[in-house]
Amino acid sequence: MKKDIITLGIESSCDETSVAVVKNGREILANIIDTQIPIHEKYGGVVPEIASRNHIEAISRVTKKALEEANISFEDIDAITPTYGPGLVGALLVGLSYAKALSFAINKPLVGINHIEGHIAANYITHKDLKPPFLCVMMSGGNTQLIHVKDYTEFEVLGKTRDDAIGEAFDKVARVVGLGYPGGPKVDKMALNGDQNAIELPRTHFDNLDFSFSGIKTAVINLHHKNPEINKEDLCASFEKAVTEMLMENTKKALKQIKVDTIALAGGVSANCFIRKEFLDLEEQGIKVYMPDLKLCTDNAAMIASAGYYNFINGKKSSLDLNAIPNLKL
Ligand code: KG4
């Protein structure tokens, strides 16, 4: 009988210290997420140095908890799979250094994982039937990309943002209208009671599959500065409608270009209620739409362990001199 493969995912690219144990890339045995949101909230955003210090404080404890919850020992692990980029360099170095030390100490292979690949893999955990090829609509705090997932470890970026990531735009809008950090979920909630057609906002289009979110972000800032009494619910709802239209337009073009009929959403912004609903509506046009469970949309180590599994079984192995790469590309 084929032996189960156990990967230990380690994630510390931003403000969550997370360690997970995943079986065969698809089944979570433990996924511990120690969030720093309450720590960074008072600064209105993530303070990189504070994030690194808190990762250091948390990493051993979170790892111990993950092993206990999964009811395994170090001996049962087949590969240690930490995120090595993209992300905040100091934060990445904590998880990566811990993983390298562990790999050396317990003599288990190290497989460095691209955080973006992890977000894609969150879908494999939620949907046991999902297999490449498909189109991934990646929308997170640091990235907005349309990715042709040709195979589990083979990707082609078809289009990407030329300036801000969509999550940055959500966070900025939230900050401007006084909703605080992290902004995305707060804009999401506020938009539920707003009129999406109340405020006209600009949309950016390119001939290719690229995006731009800085124009709409600036438009919202200007509107609010000119009229601080502007209805916040309407502003959030109109903003969501505009960014979703931009996402949908390029998604439809990309589906035609690569001739696939399956979409998977990924990244923190894919937790957004309106975006999820609009994408699900595409199913009426015969397109299969997958999205991660809400708790797997934002940063977590289970998705990293899942991507780790596919990289490991494809023969990828990292050496102990692997460094953190803050602007790592897919
Ligand atoms: O994927 P993620 O956890 O971190 C990165 O890898 O970048 O994404 C974080 C982003 C933040 O900008 C956050 O505001 C946004 O995802 N976000 C949301 C929602 N939940 C998280 N944006 C819109 N609606 C949400 N419900």
Side-chain angles (χ1 to χ4, degrees):
M1 207 175 72
K2 190 181 150 287
K3 179 189 167 302
D4 289 326
I5 304 273
I6 303 288
T7 45
L8 184 79
I10 299 182
E11 160 61 33
S12 69
S13 65
C14 191
D15 58 348
E16 332 279 355
T17 318
S18 181
V19 178
V21 180
V22 166
K23 187 161 103 180
N24 300 326
R26 300 262 180 173
E27 190 188 332
I28 296 178
L29 303 184
N31 186 23
I32 310 297
I33 305 170
D34 194 272
T35 183
Q36 300 179 13
I37 287 176
I39 297 167
H40 298 283
E41 219 162 15
K42 54 180 173 290
Y43 305 103
V46 179
V47 183
E49 176 62 20
I50 295 178
S52 311
R53 285 166 190 255
N54 281 281
H55 284 308
I56 293 171
E57 187 275 320
I59 190 80
S60 303
R61 170 171 42 83
V62 173
T63 306
K64 191 164 173 267
K65 211 165 154 189
L67 294 175
E68 273 168 15
E69 193 171 303
N71 198 19
I72 64 160
S73 68
F74 284 135
E75 213 24 64
D76 302 312
I77 296 168
D78 292 285
I80 300 166
T81 68
T83 302
Y84 74 106
L88 302 169
V89 70
L92 284 166
L93 278 170
V94 178
L96 179 60
S97 307
Y98 187 85
K100 291 199 292 190
L102 193 59
S103 162
F104 181 72
I106 65 173
N107 196 23
K108 299 280 180 177
L110 179 80
V111 184
I113 297 300
N114 183 317
H115 182 79
I116 303 169
E117 260 187 70
H119 275 301
I120 299 171
N123 283 286
Y124 300 136
I125 299 171
T126 305
H127 307 285
K128 309 295 179 218
D129 61 321
L130 177 64
K131 291 187 179 80
F134 56 85
L135 175 72
C136 176
V137 188
M138 168 65 57
M139 36 185 149
S140 68
N143 289 282
T144 312
Q145 296 180 341
L146 288 171
I147 301 162
H148 184 187
V149 181
K150 297 179 173 179
D151 207 337
Y152 288 102
T153 58
E154 198 191 332
F155 311 95
E156 183 186 353
V157 177
L158 305 169
K160 58 182 184 314
T161 180
R162 293 189 181 181
D163 39 56
D164 297 329
I166 187 168
E168 274 176 273
F170 266 95
D171 292 340
K172 190 70 183 190
V173 167
R175 197 187 301 187
V176 166
V177 302
L179 298 178
Y181 162 86
K186 291 178 177 154
V187 171
D188 191 353
K189 208 163 159 205
M190 181 130 291
L192 294 175
N193 301 316
D195 173 1
Q196 293 189 320
N197 300 312
I199 300 162
E200 192 53 44
L201 291 168
R203 277 88 164 142
T204 311
H205 312 271
F206 295 110
D207 288 340
N208 62 9
L209 296 173
D210 282 351
F211 299 99
S212 164
F213 296 104
S214 68
I216 186 167
K217 185 187 82 178
T218 309
V220 172
I221 296 170
N222 289 342
L223 275 171
H224 187 260
H225 284 165
K226 272 188 213 142
N227 176 13
E229 302 307 313
I230 198 163
N231 184 299
K232 288 180 186 173
E233 279 135 354
D234 290 349
L235 193 57
C236 290
S238 303
F239 167 79
E240 274 191 1
K241 184 180 178 207
V243 292
T244 307
E245 275 178 20
M246 289 191 260
L247 285 175
M248 295 297 274
E249 182 184 316
N250 282 9
T251 299
K252 286 179 187 165
K253 281 199 263 176
L255 285 173
K256 277 200 190 123
Q257 185 176 312
I258 60 172
K259 298 187 179 61
V260 299
D261 63 358
T262 306
I263 297 176
L265 307 188
V269 180
S270 66
N272 183 271
C273 297
F274 180 66
I275 292 177
R276 288 172 90 90
K277 184 194 143 303
E278 287 297 288
F279 272 91
L280 274 177
D281 284 352
L282 287 176
E283 295 205 316
E284 284 164 19
Q285 298 167 36
I287 295 160
K288 289 195 264 328
V289 182
Y290 293 86
M291 42 193 80
D293 268 349
L294 281 178
K295 63 180 186 310
L296 295 178
C297 286
T298 44
D299 291 349
N300 66 88
M303 66 184 198
I304 303 298
S306 172
Y309 166 81
Y310 289 105
N311 278 275
F312 178 63
I313 61 168
N314 275 291
K316 181 173 171 187
K317 197 173 168 217
S318 308
S319 67
L320 288 181
D321 58 11
L322 179 70
N323 207 349
I325 305 182
N327 60 352
L328 183 67
K329 305 276 180 288
L330 203 57

